[in-house]
Each structure stands twice: as C-alpha cells, then as structure tokens.
Amino acid sequence: MTEQEPIYRGKAKSVFRSDNPNELIVKFRDDITAFDGAKKDELAEKGIYNARVSAYLFEYLRANGVPSHFVRMEDERTMIVRPLKMIPVEVIVRNIAAGSLVRNYPFEEGAPLDPPVIVLDYKDDARHDPMINEEIIVALGLMTADEIASVKKTALRINDLLRERIDEIGLDLVDFKLEFGRHGDEILLGDEISMDSMRLWDKKTRTSMDKDVYRFDKGDVMATYAAVAERLTGA
Ligand code: 5GP
C-alpha cells in the first residue's frame, strides 16, 4: 500500500487513496480539537482509542443489520473504508439534554428526551456548523426529502443499538453525531463513532466520559478515552 499526501485532511483524521479504487485509507491522528478548532492539542494514542472504538461500533452495527463505510482495520489507527461522497450534514441524536441544546433552548441539562430528538447541522466550520432544516437541505440539493427521512430512520435505529450496548458498560448515551455519504445509489454511514463524537455520562456519578473532558478541562482526557475503549472492547 503506497502512502502519499492525504486527499483529505480533517481535524482528527486524514484520508488517503489506496491501490484499490473501492477502498480508502483513514488514519486516526492524535490531534484533538474543540470549538471549531479554536482549542487544539495532540494527545498521544488518542487516535488509537478512537479508531478502536469506532471499528468496534461499526462492526457491532453491521452485525445488527446497519451497514457503514467500514471495511476492516489495517493497523491500530488505520481503517480501510468504502469511498463515500460525504453529505455535509451532521445528524445528531439526543437522548438527554446537554451541550448546544441546553445553550440554545430552555432545556434543563440532564433532562431525558423521550422520544429522542434529532438535530441536523450544516457541516461548515467557518459558519460554526449552523443548525439546518429539511427544506434548506432539499433547497441546497444535499438530499431529497425521502433521503432525509431514510437517514433519520437509520439514525434512530443506530441510537437504539448504541444505547443498548453502552448501557451494558454503565454509561448513558447522552447524544452523538453521525455523518453519511453516497456510495453509488446508496447512502451509507461514514466518518467515525467515537469519544470525539458521542457524549457519554457515567450512570452513577454523571461524570463525562467523552470529549467534554477535553472541551471543559474536566480531567484526564486520555485516561477517560482508554477507560471507555477498555469497557467497550475489552482492549
Ligand atoms: P452539541 O450540538 O451539543 O455541540 O453536540 C451534540 C453531539 O454531537 C455531541 O456528542 C458532540 O460531540 C457531537 N458533535 C456535534 N458537532 C460535532 C462536530 O463538529 N464534530 C464532532 N466530532 N462531534 C460533534
């Protein structure tokens, strides 16, 4: 496998072409950022923990009938994926009020949301990922109304599956962000599902076990990421 310049370099992952046109190489780097990149650091091994959890959850979803771009792990921070044409919409599922929902609306932090609330954000750092609605998504030509409905249904199914598994390790899945992309005629789950993209609270102590530890200097970020990876994957 030849390694060249990335074809895409995000805030925490780099994407490379591979010799196989139907596979891309995603490297999980140790960079961690928050607040649209205004806060950034490099934390040794962070990429490994996120890659491990992401691969584990993509495999778990696949075993339960939800396909994604995930193909296999190449090494501990290198994921082989199907090439997707990413749709710049973040699909956020919320089970408990926290984060921007509490900042922007009169919810009390920690209030359960039943049924879960789906929020759609337009992925654009320069615009600070503004919330978007279905009409704007259709008007921008990003997805059809039917595609939005199908993505939302998939997101809720993923929520059910993730909640069940995360509950077993003593954590509450407060909220998480998904990204989807086009592969031929199909829309597939892409990106990652990791401590960077989920909010996880310890059921007993209500302490954060996710990127909020980094965002708000709540403690040892790497010890937290390692603990979640260990509880979830046994490694
Ligand atoms: P909030 O809207 O409260 O900032 O985020 C809701 C959930 O989606 C959190 O779990 C958060 O980590 C995730 N999320 C929202 N936007 C982003 C983003 O741009 N990148 C990542 N990695 N996660 C995000």
Side-chain angles (χ1 to χ4, degrees):
M1 208 162 297
T2 48
E3 210 165 281
Q4 340 82 348
E5 281 298 294
I7 52 172
Y8 173 79
R9 185 179 158 91
K11 292 196 290 294
K13 301 190 293 300
S14 299
V15 182
F16 301 85
R17 252 185 264 287
S18 78
D19 299 335
N20 180 342
N22 205 26
E23 291 183 351
L24 290 177
I25 302 165
V26 177
K27 282 244 186 254
F28 285 69
R29 306 194 316 269
D30 286 340
D31 300 302
I32 185 163
T33 73
F35 311 117
D36 301 322
K39 177 172 177 167
K40 47 182 146 178
D41 284 284
E42 208 181 302
L43 300 177
E45 312 234 300
K46 176 251 181 188
I48 294 173
Y49 292 117
N50 272 2
R52 190 176 294 161
V53 164
S54 228
Y56 176 88
L57 291 176
F58 281 140
E59 277 181 347
Y60 166 74
L61 292 176
R62 178 167 61 196
N64 286 282
V66 181
S68 72
H69 70 156
F70 178 77
V71 177
R72 64 180 184 279
M73 290 305 285
E74 183 87 351
D75 64 40
E76 56 188 2
R77 60 169 80 235
T78 310
M79 186 180 282
I80 307 299
V81 302
R82 292 275 168 253
L84 299 185
K85 196 166 177 299
M86 294 307 293
I87 300 166
V89 172
E90 299 183 342
V91 180
I92 296 164
V93 184
R94 300 176 174 277
N95 297 302
I96 296 176
S100 66
L101 197 70
V102 172
R103 276 200 310 280
N104 297 331
Y105 304 96
F107 286 103
E108 208 170 302
E109 165 134 330
L113 302 167
D114 185 17
V117 170
I118 296 183
V119 174
L120 304 170
D121 283 357
Y122 180 58
K123 187 179 158 84
D124 185 336
D125 272 349
R127 294 185 163 88
H128 306 292
D129 296 350
M131 192 187 284
I132 192 168
N133 71 16
E134 303 191 15
E135 279 87 347
I136 301 175
I137 292 173
V138 173
L140 284 173
L142 301 177
M143 281 187 275
T144 66
D146 284 351
E147 286 173 339
I148 299 169
S150 152
V151 159
K152 285 170 74 173
K153 196 170 158 205
T154 303
L156 289 175
R157 169 81 181 128
I158 292 170
N159 185 43
D160 287 342
L161 290 166
L162 294 184
R163 266 176 110 169
E164 197 176 314
R165 181 69 193 103
I166 285 165
D167 187 76
E168 288 171 358
I169 61 165
L171 301 177
D172 274 327
L173 178 59
V174 174
D175 55 36
F176 60 99
K177 184 255 319 176
L178 301 172
E179 293 182 31
F180 293 83
R182 295 179 188 280
H183 183 71
D185 305 338
E186 256 186 314
I187 292 186
L188 277 183
L189 174 64
D191 196 48
E192 67 182 281
I193 308 176
S194 71
M195 289 69 81
D196 275 9
S197 61
M198 295 186 280
R199 213 170 246 127
L200 304 168
W201 287 355
D202 186 279
K203 277 179 180 296
K204 285 203 197 92
T205 62
R206 299 303 235 164
T207 51
S208 292
M209 299 289 285
D210 56 61
K211 196 157 93 171
D212 275 352
V213 177
Y214 172 72
R215 289 189 186 99
F216 304 112
D217 300 314
K218 290 181 174 195
D220 186 335
V221 181
M222 283 330 299
T224 302
Y225 277 40
V228 175
E230 205 275 326
R231 281 204 228 173
L232 202 53
T233 73

